[in-house]
Amino acid sequence: MAANGSPELLIVMGAHATPEQVEEVVARLAEAGAHAHVTPGKEATVIGAIGERELLATLPLEGFPGVEQVLPILKPYKLVSRELAPDPTVIDVRGRRIGDGYFGLVAGPCTVEYREQTLETARAVKEAGATMLRGGAFKPRTSPYTFQGLGVDGLRILEEAREETGLPLVTELMDPRHVEAVVEAADVIQIGARNMQNFILLSEVGRAGKPVLLKRGPSASVEELLMAAEYVVKEGNARVILCERGIRTFERSTRYTLDIGAIPVLKQETHLPVIVDPSHAAGRRDLVPALARAAVAAGADGIIVEAHPAPDEALCDGPQLIPTAEFAAFADEIRAFVTLMGKEIG
Ligand code: PEP
Ligand code: MN
């Protein structure tokens, strides 16, 4: 569903509206040159009417059979908003689920450095109960003089790790020129914090047909994050996972400041799953467990955590990496909190 105009009106069908009545509304919108975005809900079906505001205003929508209410969508984000889809979205990635009671435990190396390092990490996190494997082949580094990632060779190593462990892969796409290679290898395409407002890249992954993990920019507001997600969903890809990974504040005791408040705000505003990256937020491994527990308690749908067999030798983000030898204990603790929240590991 890629359409011009933005969804301007919510057409809420009555609880007893028939599928034919829903179809009729969709057909009448189409006749008038507007588009419909239909979301079947637990309570009622909601239709987002997409088109020019003036055109929509001329349609007698309230009088259509089965229609209960017609409301304007007031928020600047439309397709990602709770208004349009009141029920939470569950994203299924090769059988692993995130959202609405399913908690995603995504873990792995910051960066694919070499084969054994990645395979060893993948085995350890799988053994500990992780649901997906993370790892960067294309790395956004602050300094151009540091290791920039193995690129396509890194993707091949990640594929081998998936083959062996069965864990779906989450890996970052930085450049529209790498779309084909990354989309082919990844099960979830990560858009990093620095690219959150790379609108060309967002539209590309909106057309790529794979779930997207969209990280919040360190200086982006919650609304800007939701607008970024809207770029992806607008192209027809509704499988977007949002990720709070810390924002830039005056505080220097942690690498970034984990915005815990953003989690309940996002959960109210959007139907998309929201996960937390305690590793980049903390920048220090001793703080990762506490921030991860806080994320679970605040209602997050998952966490994404970095691990490494020998953090002291890591080429990237060493101080925040959890040693693989300690990962099982960490995962056990998180699992207990997840259970406490009435959720299950997806
Ligand atoms: C990462 O997850 O590897 C990463 C670079 O994170 P961020 O984009 O949040 O800095
Ligand atoms: Mn990292």
Side-chain angles (χ1 to χ4, degrees):
M1 190 271 327
N4 293 323
S6 73
E8 294 294 346
L9 291 177
L10 268 187
I11 303 167
V12 184
M13 302 301 289
H16 303 293
T18 63
E20 291 73 31
Q21 288 173 331
V22 173
E23 272 167 38
E24 175 71 14
V25 174
V26 173
R28 300 279 288 270
L29 284 169
E31 264 168 39
H35 298 261
H37 180 91
V38 181
T39 312
K42 283 187 193 132
E43 306 275 316
T45 294
V46 174
I47 303 171
I50 304 171
E52 299 305 326
R53 196 177 285 244
E54 292 72 23
L55 172 105
L56 292 170
T58 62
L59 300 175
L61 297 167
E62 247 138 3
F64 291 175
V67 172
E68 186 171 284
Q69 228 183 346
V70 180
L71 303 164
I73 306 177
L74 300 174
K75 296 278 168 57
Y77 37 90
K78 315 278 179 185
L79 301 171
V80 305
S81 79
R82 277 260 181 206
E83 288 175 278
L84 195 64
D87 298 332
T89 292
V90 179
I91 296 179
D92 188 307
V93 186
R94 288 176 177 260
R96 310 317 297 252
R97 286 166 292 189
I98 293 192
D100 197 21
Y102 297 107
F103 190 90
L105 182 51
V106 186
C110 168
T111 304
V112 178
E113 298 170 12
Y114 54 96
R115 186 170 169 273
E116 265 316 308
Q117 164 256 4
T118 300
L119 292 180
E120 209 177 313
T121 310
R123 285 178 203 128
V125 300
K126 159 81 187 196
E127 186 71 13
T131 58
M132 293 190 212
L133 177 67
R134 64 145 289 144
F138 295 95
K139 291 302 298 180
R141 300 304 305 277
T142 301
S143 166
Y145 304 116
T146 52
F147 181 56
Q148 305 286 304
L150 292 178
V152 173
D153 292 342
L155 296 176
R156 296 293 89 81
I157 295 174
L158 285 168
E159 284 171 336
E160 194 181 336
R162 172 177 58 204
E163 183 76 20
E164 192 186 313
T165 61
L167 293 178
L169 291 181
V170 181
T171 195
E172 181 160 352
L173 169 68
M174 284 174 58
D175 186 321
R177 288 171 295 186
H178 302 144
V179 168
E180 213 171 302
V182 174
V183 170
E184 177 156 355
D187 297 300
V188 177
I189 307 159
Q190 178 172 323
I191 299 295
R194 290 153 193 83
N195 268 316
M196 189 205 86
Q197 285 188 313
N198 184 336
F199 301 117
I200 293 171
L201 199 57
L202 294 174
S203 298
E204 283 285 346
V205 296
R207 294 187 285 269
K210 289 255 170 104
V212 173
L213 193 164
L214 178 61
K215 298 189 94 176
R216 178 182 181 183
S219 60
S221 66
V222 165
E223 183 170 307
E224 286 165 338
L225 173 60
L226 289 168
M227 293 309 287
E230 189 83 10
Y231 266 89
V232 180
V233 180
K234 179 179 179 292
E235 294 303 320
N237 187 355
R239 294 190 295 165
V240 180
I241 302 162
L242 303 173
C243 180
E244 160 60 35
R245 46 76 76 207
I247 52 174
R248 179 59 49 92
T249 69
F250 55 81
E251 182 51 56
R252 287 286 159 270
S253 58
T254 47
R255 187 176 178 189
Y256 293 93
T257 300
L258 183 63
D259 184 5
I260 282 288
I263 301 159
V265 171
L266 282 165
K267 296 294 296 174
Q268 276 178 19
E269 293 297 308
T270 180
H271 53 89
L272 298 174
V274 179
I275 70 167
V276 167
D277 176 345
S279 302
H280 289 89
R284 294 167 41 181
R285 83 176 58 91
D286 61 331
L287 302 181
V288 170
L291 296 191
R293 292 193 303 266
V296 182
D301 298 297
I303 52 172
I304 177 166
V305 184
E306 292 184 342
H308 195 285
D312 292 347
E313 292 161 25
L315 296 178
C316 184
D317 287 350
Q320 72 198 32
L321 307 174
I322 296 183
T324 46
E326 294 168 25
F327 193 81
F330 168 78
D332 284 347
E333 194 188 7
I334 295 306
R335 197 174 298 107
F337 271 71
V338 169
T339 308
L340 202 63
M341 290 297 290
K343 296 183 180 175
E344 62 181 277
I345 303 282

